[in-house]
Amino acid sequence: MSVAGALAGCRSQSPLTAQQAEGQMLFHQRCEHCHGENDLNLKPPPPDIRGVLTRAKLPDGEPATDLNVMRVVVNGKNKMPPFMGRFTEPQMEALLAYLHTHAD
Ligand code: HEC
Protein backbone atom coordinates (compact mmCIF):
# COMPACT_ATOMS: atom_id res chain seq x y z
CA MET A 1 0.00 0.00 0.00
CA SER A 2 1.30 3.48 -0.80
CA VAL A 3 1.83 6.02 1.95
CA ALA A 4 -0.95 8.17 0.55
CA GLY A 5 -3.24 5.17 0.47
CA ALA A 6 -2.43 4.36 4.08
CA LEU A 7 -3.18 7.91 5.18
CA ALA A 8 -6.42 7.97 3.22
CA GLY A 9 -7.30 4.65 4.82
CA CYS A 10 -6.97 6.16 8.27
CA ARG A 11 -9.27 9.01 7.44
CA SER A 12 -11.85 7.19 5.39
CA GLN A 13 -15.20 6.88 7.07
CA SER A 14 -16.68 3.47 7.25
CA PRO A 15 -20.43 3.50 6.78
CA LEU A 16 -22.32 3.83 10.02
CA THR A 17 -24.44 1.09 11.49
CA ALA A 18 -28.16 1.84 11.75
CA GLN A 19 -27.72 2.57 15.46
CA GLN A 20 -24.80 4.95 14.89
CA ALA A 21 -26.75 6.69 12.13
CA GLU A 22 -29.68 7.20 14.47
CA GLY A 23 -27.32 8.67 17.05
CA GLN A 24 -25.87 10.97 14.42
CA MET A 25 -29.35 12.22 13.58
CA LEU A 26 -30.12 12.84 17.25
CA PHE A 27 -26.82 14.65 17.65
CA HIS A 28 -27.58 16.88 14.67
CA GLN A 29 -31.03 17.65 16.04
CA ARG A 30 -30.33 18.09 19.74
CA CYS A 31 -26.65 18.80 20.32
CA GLU A 32 -25.05 20.35 17.29
CA HIS A 33 -26.77 23.72 17.46
CA CYS A 34 -24.69 24.33 20.58
CA HIS A 35 -21.75 22.00 19.96
CA GLY A 36 -20.92 23.29 16.51
CA GLU A 37 -23.01 26.27 15.52
CA ASN A 38 -23.08 27.74 19.04
CA ASP A 39 -26.34 29.45 18.11
CA LEU A 40 -26.76 30.81 21.65
CA ASN A 41 -23.37 32.49 21.41
CA LEU A 42 -22.21 30.92 24.66
CA LYS A 43 -18.88 32.04 26.02
CA PRO A 44 -16.72 30.07 26.11
CA PRO A 45 -18.21 28.17 23.16
CA PRO A 46 -19.32 24.59 23.92
CA PRO A 47 -16.47 22.18 23.10
CA ASP A 48 -16.37 20.10 19.91
CA ILE A 49 -17.50 16.71 21.12
CA ARG A 50 -17.89 14.80 17.85
CA GLY A 51 -16.11 11.48 18.33
CA VAL A 52 -15.56 12.32 22.01
CA LEU A 53 -15.70 8.62 22.97
CA THR A 54 -12.79 7.84 20.64
CA ARG A 55 -10.61 10.06 22.84
CA ALA A 56 -9.11 9.28 26.23
CA LYS A 57 -10.65 12.24 28.02
CA LEU A 58 -13.65 14.53 28.00
CA PRO A 59 -12.93 18.24 27.52
CA ASP A 60 -12.94 18.75 31.31
CA GLY A 61 -10.35 15.97 31.82
CA GLU A 62 -12.64 13.22 33.12
CA PRO A 63 -12.14 9.82 31.45
CA ALA A 64 -14.19 9.62 28.23
CA THR A 65 -16.53 6.79 29.20
CA ASP A 66 -20.14 6.10 28.21
CA LEU A 67 -21.16 6.62 31.82
CA ASN A 68 -19.51 10.02 32.14
CA VAL A 69 -21.00 11.26 28.87
CA MET A 70 -24.41 9.95 29.87
CA ARG A 71 -24.15 11.77 33.19
CA VAL A 72 -23.41 15.08 31.49
CA VAL A 73 -26.30 14.60 29.06
CA VAL A 74 -28.79 13.57 31.74
CA ASN A 75 -27.75 16.08 34.41
CA GLY A 76 -26.42 18.92 32.27
CA LYS A 77 -23.31 20.85 33.15
CA ASN A 78 -23.00 24.58 33.84
CA LYS A 79 -24.54 26.18 30.73
CA MET A 80 -25.50 22.84 29.24
CA PRO A 81 -29.12 22.01 30.07
CA PRO A 82 -30.10 18.63 31.53
CA PHE A 83 -31.70 16.21 29.06
CA MET A 84 -33.19 14.07 31.83
CA GLY A 85 -36.07 12.04 30.41
CA ARG A 86 -35.65 13.53 26.92
CA PHE A 87 -34.06 10.45 25.37
CA THR A 88 -35.34 6.89 25.52
CA GLU A 89 -32.81 4.26 26.50
CA PRO A 90 -32.31 3.09 22.88
CA GLN A 91 -31.89 6.72 21.80
CA MET A 92 -29.25 7.29 24.48
CA GLU A 93 -27.46 4.13 23.38
CA ALA A 94 -27.58 5.31 19.77
CA LEU A 95 -26.16 8.69 20.75
CA LEU A 96 -23.29 7.04 22.61
CA ALA A 97 -22.68 4.64 19.69
CA TYR A 98 -22.40 7.65 17.37
CA LEU A 99 -19.96 9.41 19.73
CA HIS A 100 -17.73 6.30 19.45
CA THR A 101 -17.30 7.00 15.72
CA HIS A 102 -15.26 9.60 13.87
CA ALA A 103 -18.26 10.61 11.76
CA ASP A 104 -19.24 14.29 11.52
C1 HEC B 1 -27.64 24.78 25.16
C2 HEC B 1 -26.36 24.34 24.60
C3 HEC B 1 -25.99 22.88 24.69
C4 HEC B 1 -26.68 21.79 24.20
C5 HEC B 1 -28.02 21.77 23.51
C6 HEC B 1 -25.85 20.64 24.46
N1 HEC B 1 -24.71 21.01 25.13
FE1 HEC B 1 -23.22 19.76 25.73
N2 HEC B 1 -22.23 21.34 26.56
C7 HEC B 1 -22.64 22.66 26.52
C8 HEC B 1 -21.68 23.48 27.24
C9 HEC B 1 -21.77 24.99 27.46
C10 HEC B 1 -20.68 22.60 27.71
C11 HEC B 1 -19.44 22.94 28.57
C12 HEC B 1 -19.82 22.67 30.02
C13 HEC B 1 -18.71 23.02 30.98
O1 HEC B 1 -17.74 22.23 31.09
O2 HEC B 1 -18.81 24.08 31.59
C14 HEC B 1 -21.04 21.27 27.24
C15 HEC B 1 -20.28 20.14 27.49
C16 HEC B 1 -20.56 18.87 26.99
C17 HEC B 1 -19.71 17.71 27.15
C18 HEC B 1 -18.35 17.68 27.83
C19 HEC B 1 -18.53 17.56 29.31
C20 HEC B 1 -17.22 17.44 30.05
O3 HEC B 1 -17.30 16.97 31.20
O4 HEC B 1 -16.15 17.80 29.55
C21 HEC B 1 -20.35 16.67 26.55
C22 HEC B 1 -19.86 15.22 26.46
C23 HEC B 1 -21.59 17.18 26.02
N3 HEC B 1 -21.69 18.52 26.30
C24 HEC B 1 -22.51 16.42 25.32
C25 HEC B 1 -23.69 16.92 24.76
C26 HEC B 1 -24.63 16.10 24.04
C27 HEC B 1 -24.45 14.63 23.72
C28 HEC B 1 -25.66 16.92 23.70
C29 HEC B 1 -26.93 16.55 22.96
C30 HEC B 1 -27.73 15.55 23.61
C31 HEC B 1 -25.35 18.25 24.22
N4 HEC B 1 -24.15 18.21 24.85
C32 HEC B 1 -26.18 19.36 24.08
C33 HEC B 1 -23.79 23.15 25.91
C34 HEC B 1 -24.75 22.38 25.28
Side-chain angles (χ1 to χ4, degrees):
M1 205 198 295
S2 70
V3 172
L7 290 175
C10 281
R11 300 188 58 88
S12 79
Q13 297 193 350
S14 45
L16 299 181
T17 65
Q19 187 190 40
Q20 290 163 347
E22 189 198 340
Q24 182 181 45
M25 190 192 74
L26 291 169
F27 184 85
H28 287 163
Q29 289 173 345
R30 316 288 289 275
C31 317
E32 197 166 46
H33 69 94
C34 278
H35 289 277
E37 290 151 33
N38 191 16
D39 61 351
L40 301 176
N41 234 330
L42 298 177
K43 293 194 179 68
D48 183 357
I49 53 152
R50 285 168 304 170
V52 73
L53 287 170
T54 66
R55 305 181 206 156
K57 292 185 174 162
L58 297 183
D60 79 346
E62 293 279 305
T65 61
D66 286 15
L67 194 62
N68 282 338
V69 169
M70 214 160 76
R71 267 202 203 115
V72 172
V73 174
V74 170
N75 299 328
K77 184 163 185 185
N78 301 319
K79 290 180 186 154
M80 176 166 157
F83 283 80
M84 174 114 47
R86 307 262 234 106
F87 292 111
T88 63
E89 210 168 294
Q91 284 178 329
M92 181 63 83
E93 281 165 13
L95 196 55
L96 294 172
Y98 161 69
L99 291 173
H100 276 281
T101 74
H102 289 281
D104 275 343

